[in-house]
Amino acid sequence: AEAALKKSTEEMSAILSSITDVYAKFDKEGRIVDVNRHGEKLMGRPRRELIGKDFVEEFPETKGGVFHTKFKEANRTKQPVHFEAYLEVAQKWFETHAYPSAGGISAYLRDITERKIAEQKLQNTIHEIDRERAKDEAILDSIGEGIVATDAAGTIIFANRMSETIFGVSTKELVGQQSNEALPLTNQAGDLVPTKERPLAVALRSKIRTTSNTYFALRKDGRQIPVLLTATPIILDSKAIGAIGVYHDITKEREIDRAKSEFVALASHQLRTPLTITSWYTEKLIKEGKVNLTDKQKRYLDELYKANSRMVDLVNAVLDVSRLELGTLTINPELISLVDIAELTLSELRPTI
């Protein structure tokens, strides 16, 4: 029986020496009872110099640390403890399992330093990605245009703050919604733009950037905001995996254009008065001066009259453009002669030829 016990002990010792984990056994007072070869390597001493020694006395830097505290806890509670901690004496991370028994504690320590380094690198990478994402979102939020990104199905995956202002809906409400429902557009007539005609849908379907300034963003409160809308597809491996919509509020631009058109119309009206007077006096001179004027003077008056008439026509054309921009132009189609237009153009250019 004694021989069998000795053989069993030797086999157990051989097994513990062959495992890749650090193995150490301590009695209730914290003295080292047994260590395997990896334990010798960790503690930097041969087994014969460690057996019977108080671990904390031999390695005072561990006193009060995680390992010391956890081993005491296992002794006190008689419950196994499992933890991961950095062992300063070895400058390595270990995954530790300590099992209490009547005689003390058996501890198994697995070196997880490489895993911890990899995890730290991963955490650093994730932190860097999050930081870059936060920076990108801050940049996008500071842009003066509303920016909306969708996936291939038209579902909104991102919206910046300006899009909130334009559509009157928070970004939290927009993300996850279908763009055709969450971002309604109307045309010049005030009718909702059909889904298939919306720039984002066209960009996804055609894989071509589209731009339009004829649409209005319909806010949640019912107001309509004129927008310059550019929709650009996101292409990956020749497939449209999403689209970016940029909404520029052109309310001020339209107000400026309207003010400009009104100014041009007013200025043109003011120009017509002196031109009309000049035309009237020139015509009167031509009619009343037929006898007293020389042929050369008559020719000069005739050219003056024609030039004044062209100026009147130019002012009328400018007025027509301003009326067109203001939407007040009345169109009256009439037949014209292309020959007459060609001859008039030639007569106007003849002095410069």
Side-chain angles (χ1 to χ4, degrees):
E2 188 175 327
L5 180 60
K6 182 179 180 182
K7 184 180 178 181
S8 176
T9 303
E10 289 174 352
E11 288 178 353
M12 180 62 69
S13 179
I15 292 172
L16 292 173
S17 294
S18 66
I19 64 174
T20 56
D21 293 350
V22 173
Y23 165 74
K25 186 174 182 179
F26 309 90
D27 63 17
K28 291 182 178 181
E29 283 71 38
R31 290 187 293 267
I32 302 170
V33 175
D34 192 16
V35 293
N36 66 355
R37 59 189 178 88
H38 293 293
E40 292 178 311
K41 186 177 179 180
L42 174 64
M43 299 180 195
R45 300 182 195 177
R47 183 174 179 273
R48 64 179 180 274
E49 294 181 10
L50 293 168
I51 301 301
K53 300 293 180 64
D54 186 289
F55 181 78
V56 174
E57 290 181 0
E58 295 298 312
F59 304 97
E61 62 270 27
T62 63
K63 185 174 182 180
V66 176
F67 289 86
H68 185 214
T69 303
K70 289 292 185 180
F71 288 170
K72 286 178 66 176
E73 178 187 331
N75 252 330
R76 186 182 71 255
T77 63
K78 303 303 179 184
Q79 295 294 323
V81 292
H82 311 282
F83 60 94
E84 294 179 359
Y86 185 75
L87 185 58
E88 195 68 39
V89 67
Q91 295 187 345
K92 290 182 178 180
W93 281 89
F94 289 97
E95 177 187 303
T96 305
H97 304 275
Y99 302 94
S101 63
I105 292 177
S106 295
Y108 299 85
L109 289 76
R110 177 170 296 172
D111 185 351
I112 58 170
T113 304
E114 290 186 2
R115 194 192 83 192
K116 282 292 185 178
I117 292 173
E119 288 178 354
Q120 187 59 50
K121 286 182 179 178
L122 179 60
Q123 287 297 322
N124 291 341
T125 301
I126 293 173
H127 176 72
E128 184 64 23
I129 291 172
D130 288 341
R131 193 173 69 85
E132 288 298 321
R133 181 186 299 155
K135 184 171 72 173
D136 291 343
E137 289 182 358
I139 292 172
L140 291 173
D141 279 339
S142 66
I143 293 175
E145 283 80 24
I147 298 177
V148 175
T150 73
D151 60 15
T155 302
I156 299 171
I157 57 177
F158 173 80
N160 71 344
R161 288 182 185 173
M162 193 60 189
S163 62
E164 290 185 0
T165 303
I166 292 176
F167 287 95
V169 183
S170 70
T171 55
K172 289 183 178 180
E173 293 180 79
L174 290 175
V175 174
Q177 300 296 317
Q178 281 292 309
S179 60
N180 61 314
E181 297 175 358
L183 307 173
L185 294 176
T186 59
N187 56 25
Q188 301 279 6
D191 301 322
L192 286 173
V193 180
T195 300
K196 64 179 181 179
E197 297 178 13
R198 294 165 64 91
L200 280 173
V202 173
L204 283 170
R205 187 172 61 251
S206 65
K207 302 178 186 177
I208 299 174
R209 175 184 295 179
T210 61
T211 301
S212 175
N213 64 350
T214 61
Y215 294 135
F216 294 81
L218 182 60
R219 286 174 52 88
K220 195 174 183 179
D221 59 11
R223 285 196 297 135
Q224 293 181 321
I225 307 296
V227 292
L228 171 63
L229 172 53
T230 300
T232 306
I234 304 171
I235 306 298
L236 181 63
D237 296 331
S238 302
K239 294 182 180 179
I241 63 169
I244 302 292
V246 179
Y247 300 79
H248 177 62
D249 185 348
I250 56 174
T251 301
K252 290 184 178 179
E253 286 87 339
R254 290 206 171 186
E255 289 175 353
I256 292 171
D257 283 343
R258 187 175 185 86
K260 179 196 69 177
S261 297
E262 291 174 350
F263 170 77
V264 169
L266 179 61
S268 299
H269 276 293
Q270 295 301 318
L271 283 172
R272 290 182 69 178
T273 301
L275 286 172
T276 301
I277 294 173
T278 303
S279 178
W280 184 77
Y281 278 115
T282 303
E283 186 177 356
K284 188 173 183 181
L285 279 172
I286 292 172
K287 288 180 180 179
E288 295 180 359
K290 286 184 178 180
V291 178
N292 300 325
L293 297 176
T294 64
D295 291 341
K296 190 175 183 180
Q297 290 173 331
K298 289 178 182 179
R299 189 168 67 252
Y300 286 162
L301 279 174
D302 188 54
E303 290 297 327
L304 179 61
Y305 180 76
K306 290 179 180 178
N308 191 79
S309 297
R310 288 195 294 271
M311 282 297 297
V312 172
D313 291 340
L314 178 60
V315 170
N316 288 334
V318 171
L319 277 171
D320 287 341
V321 171
S322 66
R323 291 192 189 105
L324 183 64
E325 291 179 343
L326 292 171
T328 60
L329 177 66
T330 301
I331 299 176
N332 297 310
E334 61 180 35
L335 294 174
I336 60 172
S337 171
L338 293 178
V339 175
D340 291 344
I341 293 176
E343 289 179 349
L344 178 62
T345 302
L346 285 173
S347 66
E348 291 177 351
L349 297 175
R350 189 170 289 115
T352 62
I353 298 176

